[in-house]
């Protein structure tokens, strides 16, 4: 009897250490974080074509994606799968494992769950803003809901605002600590991130009557709670120079030896017209001539004939951002114009800070001179306040294609081009994945009907007013 071993000891010997049945919450959190940053940063045309939807880049040899062909490469499916499976499901599992952890304090557990919740809300908001109505209440639970229903996008968004508002006060200690690759466990920075995301989301739905009260409350709560105040606060991931932790743009363009993209005439022509000092930081000059020439959007463009992206963009260590200070400043200008936070008189100051923050981030000089340009100056620039804010937000979101595209969808500023080959209108959403159409037919059909048709030109709920 003394020589007998317990069942636990036998079980321990039969565990495969290379295929664990339980994964720590910090590993899952870290994995989801990297998946989210990689997906939003990549320029692989199979998974992320947002830089083309935002008309910052266009293609050279293969031009299907710049002409808004979503389905040859099954792009919506790939984005959908990455966000649901590799981001949201990992975050959901991280919370489950964190709740079961008996080795950490109650405060640490609450902080970790708040960090998880902030990234979860970010990911859900991105999915809703991309597709419209999506599986939400029955999602991430394949054991119970094999074919989940689609929830109303505005209802989801309202719930996300509630969830985010509730999570922010729980950030009281270092949480995931060194496993947190965004802020290294700094709770003050996480609060700024949470509040800045709350501001962004509140502004996004400010024109939706059903969410007007929630929008105002979110914006005011975010501002009073404290949003980003400098580029040091940016929600950024710093990549390394060693694979697999390099910036995915380096992987897509340098490691793979590809020359698939040039800067667009949409962006370059606008920056040339404004004599924008950020051009040498955004782009490489054409053959050292000091001239910037954008490729016609959606055309078969010669790589050697048009302006390329700058060396900084393709550096393997170039940080990626989910949300930055410049963006926050433009949202504050928007909130001031609406008299939700501040007054319209304060909007110009926030607008100027947004432009200056972009210049500072890129290391570009002469922001003050640029602000005096009559076509830039807030008092004299053409268009409504939405056009002014939207145009400069779009320019500042270079290399962040999703936010560039969303700036256009939100503020409706002019200047986007029809693609040269297809001449299709600029999409306002991703269509639903083909797998959903084939496997979740009933719920897919109901969702498509509810949003006005599963088309690239159907507007998501906050883009209709």
């Amino acid at each position: 009897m003394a020589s007998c071993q317990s069942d636990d000891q036998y079980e321990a010997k039969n565990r495969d250490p290379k295929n664990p049945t339980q994964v720590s919450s910090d590993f899952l959190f870290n994995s989801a974080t990297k998946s989210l940053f990689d997906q939003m940063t990549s320029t692989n045309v199979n998974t992320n074509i947002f830089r083309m939807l935002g008309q910052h880049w266009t293609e050279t040899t293969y031009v299907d994606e710049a002409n808004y062909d979503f389905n040859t490469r099954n792009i919506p499916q790939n984005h959908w799968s990455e966000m649901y499976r590799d981001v949201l499901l990992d975050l959901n599992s991280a919370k489950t494992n964190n709740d079961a952890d008996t080795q950490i304090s109650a405060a640490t557990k609450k902080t970790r769950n708040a960090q998880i919740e902030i990234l979860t809300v970010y990911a859900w908001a991105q999915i809703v803003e991309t597709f419209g109505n999506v599986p939400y209440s029955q999602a991430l639970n394949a054991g119970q809901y094999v074919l989940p229903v689609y929830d109303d996008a505005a209802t989801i968004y309202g719930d996300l605002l509630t969830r985010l508002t509730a999570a922010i006060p729980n950030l009281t200690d270092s949480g995931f600590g060194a496993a947190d690759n965004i802020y290294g466990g700094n709770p003050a920075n996480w609060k700024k991130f949470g509040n800045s995301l709350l501001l962004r989301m509140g502004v996004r739905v400010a024109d939706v009557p059903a969410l007007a009260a929630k929008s105002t409350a979110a914006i005011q709560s975010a501002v009073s709670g404290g949003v980003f105040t400098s580029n040091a606060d940016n929600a950024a991931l710093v990549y390394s120079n060693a694979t697999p932790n390099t910036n995915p743009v380096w992987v897509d363009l340098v490691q793979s030896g590809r020359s698939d993209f040039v800067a667009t005439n949409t962006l370059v022509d606008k920056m040339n017209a404004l004599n924008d000092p950020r051009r040498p930081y955004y782009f490489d000059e054409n053959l050292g001539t000091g001239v910037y020439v954008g490729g016609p959007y959606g055309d078969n463009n010669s790589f050697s004939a048009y302006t390329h992206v700058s060396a900084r963009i393709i550096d393997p260590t170039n940080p990626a951002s989910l949300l930055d200070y410049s963006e926050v400043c433009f949202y504050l200008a928007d909130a001031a114009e609406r008299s939700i936070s501040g007054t319209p008189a304060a909007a110009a100051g926030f607008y100027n800070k947004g432009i200056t923050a972009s210049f500072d981030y890129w290391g570009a000089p002469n922001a003050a001179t640029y602000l005096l340009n009559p076509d830039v100056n807030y008092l004299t620039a053409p268009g409504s306040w939405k056009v002014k804010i939207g145009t400069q937000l779009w320019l500042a979101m270079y290399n962040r294609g999703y936010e560039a595209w969303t700036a256009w969808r939100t503020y409706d500023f002019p200047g986007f081009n029809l693609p040269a080959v297809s001449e299709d209108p600029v999409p306002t959403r991703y269509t639903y994945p083909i797998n959903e159409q084939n496997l979740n037919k009933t719920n897919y059909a109901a969702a498509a009907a509810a949003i006005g048709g599963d088309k690239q030109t159907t507007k998501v709920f906050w883009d209709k007013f």
Side-chain angles (χ1 to χ4, degrees), residues 85-409:
R85 180 194 62 218
D86 296 333
V87 179
L88 286 172
L89 190 58
D90 274 2
L91 289 171
N92 192 54
S93 297
K95 183 181 185 302
T96 298
N97 292 359
N98 183 57
D99 287 340
D101 193 335
T102 60
Q103 304 301 311
I104 57 176
S105 69
T108 296
K109 187 172 290 191
K110 287 179 67 175
T111 297
R112 288 185 176 188
N113 279 342
Q115 292 169 329
I116 291 169
E117 186 77 333
I118 289 171
L119 292 188
T120 298
V121 169
Y122 186 105
W124 274 122
Q126 202 280 339
I127 293 171
V128 172
E129 292 165 5
T130 301
F131 292 97
N133 293 8
V134 294
Y136 178 70
S137 60
Q138 295 183 1
L140 310 179
N141 189 354
Q144 187 173 357
Y145 302 108
V146 178
L147 301 174
V149 299
Y150 286 58
D151 295 272
D152 173 71
T155 303
I156 297 171
Y157 218 85
D159 186 56
L160 293 176
L161 289 171
T162 299
R163 289 173 60 175
L164 183 56
T165 302
I168 295 169
N170 292 332
L171 296 158
T172 58
D173 73 2
S174 62
F176 285 104
D180 164 21
N181 287 316
I182 304 176
Y183 292 120
N186 186 314
N189 284 341
W190 271 99
K191 284 184 178 180
K192 288 183 180 181
F193 178 25
N195 282 317
S196 297
L197 178 58
L198 189 62
L199 171 66
R200 175 208 274 178
M201 293 175 63
V203 167
R204 198 85 91 211
V205 297
D207 288 329
V208 181
L211 292 176
K214 275 189 172 263
S215 168
T216 297
I219 292 169
Q220 292 175 345
S221 176
V223 174
S224 64
V227 295
F228 292 163
T229 56
S230 76
N231 283 315
D233 297 329
N234 294 352
L237 179 68
V238 178
Y239 287 97
S240 77
N241 59 7
T243 56
N245 295 315
T246 52
N247 187 302
V249 175
W250 178 84
V251 175
D252 298 335
L253 301 184
V254 179
Q255 186 183 54
S256 61
R258 305 194 67 88
S259 51
D260 291 339
F261 304 102
V262 293
T264 63
N265 59 341
T266 312
L267 177 61
V268 174
D269 289 354
K270 181 65 175 179
M271 297 185 79
N272 283 342
L274 297 176
N275 195 26
D276 197 309
R278 289 171 289 189
R279 285 172 296 172
Y281 302 86
Y282 283 12
F283 316 122
D284 271 350
E285 299 172 354
N286 275 43
L287 303 176
T289 62
V291 176
Y292 303 92
V293 182
Y297 183 75
D299 211 346
N300 292 94
N301 293 299
S302 165
F303 183 74
S304 61
Y306 297 105
T307 292
H308 305 160
V309 303
S310 67
R312 175 172 173 176
I313 301 297
I314 57 175
D315 188 310
T317 65
N318 189 39
S321 294
L322 296 180
L323 204 159
D324 66 28
Y325 174 50
S326 174
E327 188 182 353
V328 164
C329 291
F330 289 115
Y331 297 143
L332 290 171
D334 181 307
E337 283 285 3
R338 298 175 190 274
S339 297
I340 294 175
S341 178
T343 65
F350 290 123
Y351 170 90
N352 291 346
K353 287 181 178 179
I355 293 172
T356 303
S358 173
F359 273 63
D360 290 345
Y361 178 80
W362 290 95
N366 303 319
T369 302
Y370 180 73
L371 289 170
L372 295 176
N373 183 328
D375 289 327
V376 175
N377 186 278
Y378 197 70
L379 296 178
T380 58
S384 66
W385 66 262
K386 287 188 175 182
V387 168
K388 296 174 187 180
I389 291 172
T391 299
Q392 287 299 328
L393 173 60
W394 173 70
L395 290 172
M397 292 297 99
Y398 182 66
N399 201 37
R400 293 185 55 209
Y402 183 78
E403 292 308 327
W405 175 47
T406 302
W408 174 80
R409 292 188 293 165

Side-chain angles (χ1 to χ4, degrees), residues 74-94:
N74 213 3
I75 296 163
Q77 178 67 62
N78 294 333
H79 184 65
W80 177 284
S81 297
E82 184 70 17
M83 296 297 284
Y84 271 104
R85 180 194 62 218
D86 296 333
V87 179
L88 286 172
L89 190 58
D90 274 2
L91 289 171
N92 192 54
S93 297

